[in-house]
Amino acid sequence: MLAAMPPTPPSTPERDEARKRDRGDACPGALRLHAADDGRLARLRLPAGRLTAHQVETLAAAAETLGDGRISLTSRGNAELRGLTEECGADLAALLAAAGLLPSPTHERVRNIVASPGAGLDGLGGPEVQLWARELDALLCAEPWAAALSGRFLFVLDDGRADVAGLGGDVTLVAVEPGTAPEPGGAQEPGVTPDPSTTPEPGLTPDPSTTPEPGITQDPSTTPEPSAARLYVGGRAWRVAGADAPRAALAAAEAFLDAARTAGTGAWRVRELPEGCAPDVAGALDRAGIAAEPVPPADSLMVYGPPLTPGPLGPTSLYVLAPLGRLTAAQLRALLPAEEVRLTPWRGAVVVGAEPSGDRLAALDSLGLITHPVSPWAGVSACTGRPGCAKSLADVRADAAPGSTRGLPVHYSGCERRCGHPHGTWVDVVATADGAYLVDGAPTPRTALPDAVTTARTTR
């Protein structure tokens, strides 16, 4: 099992978080459109990244008829439409609502739920987290107070393989077996793929005879009852029954809002709360009637594992990455037929119920999707850059070079804000005002990016 370790600082500092905020967050949503240089932008929250086949068609049609024909995937497994006109808001809302993508207009920006996208498909981890995500989403949308959460507040649900546990959730649930605890040694930084010859399989490995069918579409009454979960909030952890996990996450979010009101600093996220104002999670769980056992601090460090790699995923699914995190409408449609599609926080898509044959993968590869883990473009992302963002100093998407060898993730940023950067350790490529770049802080001409990025990806 992968062992626990404290989060490793990123290769460049995070943007400073405001300790005192005097306004609400301005995160765009599906109903609150953001004005960008290339038109309006809509961000659609997709709990666990899940799209039905009909919703895939709807999203592709919205991109073509209302936007610029492309879908951007975010580091939370959400989707963005760009190039929208000022007048399209009502048409977009109607289209999304008809497809079931807007279950609560008042809560649409707070449905930030990331879940292990391979859960239930490959025999690793607990398959129940996809069901947790659906239940948590329904609970959130049913509570009027939950609409007060920031559009940046994040729930993370990990199936035990530790692929999403390190993504910086405000409230994190990790599926565990009774009595399990992290083992010391051998920890792995987020975003770094360990040598499979020396890394044991992480997380839970359920009996294949009890693993749900791909897509988790069977009768819920036949789903094996999850054994337990760990709830992580603000550096502390509690063990709860798996059946209580979604309600426990909701209770923790309410405890955060109570703490934020008491602090009076306008905090949007748990890490922004001032010292001495930690959420009373234990009290919230007790009031909700949820039995919880505190986890000793020595055993409550987070566990980090590698992300999914493109290619076949179990016997009936496959995984592809979007080049630089963006799909055309045609590429999105090419993921069908499928039982469902799960967008991932690594800017890819799990195609559930797809025969992972060589022909199917070859067809997707021919459309420009990344289908093999050895592709140097795997793990390369970029912000919007010019011409879509007024703050960007360069057209980073045109300048992006993967280097000749796959290694650490790489993120190209048009300015020091580093929008959309990955978690953990990555190669930091930032445009400068003189037309060049900084690669992990080293000045680099645009023409030297391929060699500089190759070196940076493989020597740290």
Side-chain angles (χ1 to χ4, degrees), residues 25-445:
D25 79 271
C27 276
L31 302 179
R32 179 196 285 182
L33 306 187
H34 170 73
D37 273 19
D38 57 350
R40 300 282 172 168
L41 177 153
R43 182 175 299 154
L44 180 60
R45 269 69 173 187
L46 303 171
R50 181 176 178 266
L51 291 165
T52 66
H54 175 60
Q55 289 168 343
V56 169
E57 289 280 7
T58 297
L59 195 54
E64 287 179 327
T65 61
L66 302 175
D68 63 4
R70 292 171 291 187
I71 301 93
S72 297
L73 310 187
T74 77
S75 60
R76 293 183 170 190
N78 294 321
E80 290 182 348
L81 300 176
R82 301 189 67 94
L84 302 168
T85 64
E86 290 187 29
E87 302 80 20
C88 79
D91 291 339
L92 176 62
L95 194 65
L96 297 177
L101 290 168
L102 279 177
S104 173
T106 56
H107 292 67
E108 60 101 1
R109 293 191 316 120
V110 305
R111 302 169 67 223
N112 292 301
I113 304 172
V114 172
S116 295
L121 303 178
D122 58 359
L124 297 177
E128 64 274 1
V129 298
Q130 289 288 323
L131 298 177
W132 288 354
R134 299 181 201 182
E135 182 179 347
L136 175 57
D137 183 36
L139 292 170
L140 272 174
C141 291
E143 291 289 353
W145 60 260
L149 289 168
S150 161
R152 304 187 185 195
F153 194 89
L154 177 63
F155 296 91
V156 170
L157 315 182
D158 191 288
D159 67 359
R161 76 182 73 203
D163 58 342
V164 298
L167 296 184
D170 294 282
V171 175
T172 299
L173 288 171
V174 179
V176 295
E177 292 176 336
T180 55
E183 297 175 0
Q188 188 68 39
E189 296 177 5
V192 180
T193 303
D195 180 355
S197 66
T198 61
T199 304
E201 294 181 352
L204 308 177
T205 307
D207 180 350
S209 66
T210 64
T211 300
E213 293 296 319
I216 322 289
T217 56
Q218 77 286 355
D219 180 354
S221 65
T222 66
T223 303
E225 183 67 23
S227 53
R230 278 190 175 182
L231 171 69
Y232 292 86
V233 183
R236 299 188 62 191
W238 295 261
R239 184 186 297 274
V240 299
D244 292 332
R247 290 197 305 121
L250 186 74
E254 187 171 20
F256 161 75
L257 285 179
D258 290 342
R261 281 191 289 268
T262 299
T265 57
W268 296 342
R269 308 200 61 187
V270 170
R271 66 171 179 256
E272 297 178 18
L273 290 171
E275 189 174 351
C277 291
D280 181 15
V281 176
L285 293 172
D286 183 62
R287 289 188 293 274
I290 299 171
E293 176 188 350
V295 178
D299 294 332
S300 63
L301 296 178
M302 192 66 72
V303 176
Y304 297 148
L308 293 180
T309 55
L313 182 64
T316 60
S317 301
L318 58 85
Y319 179 50
V320 296
L321 291 168
L324 293 179
R326 188 173 289 180
L327 296 170
T328 65
Q331 287 172 326
L332 181 61
R333 285 196 179 97
L335 302 179
L336 301 177
E339 292 179 21
E340 67 183 36
V341 171
R342 301 174 185 173
L343 303 185
T344 78
W346 313 290
R347 296 179 170 89
V350 170
V351 185
V352 180
E355 184 66 34
S357 66
D359 288 345
R360 181 75 187 272
L361 288 167
L364 294 174
D365 183 80
S366 71
L367 292 173
L369 297 170
I370 300 165
T371 62
H372 199 283
V374 300
S375 169
W377 285 101
V380 181
S381 58
C383 71
T384 296
R386 287 181 180 173
C389 177
K391 293 182 173 65
S392 180
L393 300 174
D395 184 351
V396 293
R397 305 182 73 83
D399 293 343
S404 61
T405 305
R406 185 177 179 236
L408 285 174
V410 182
H411 187 70
Y412 284 80
S413 304
C415 72
E416 292 184 352
R417 299 167 72 220
R418 297 175 172 85
C419 293
H421 69 72
H423 289 265
T425 301
W426 78 96
V427 177
D428 181 47
V429 186
V430 183
T432 56
D434 59 0
Y437 283 85
L438 297 175
V439 177
D440 286 342
T444 306

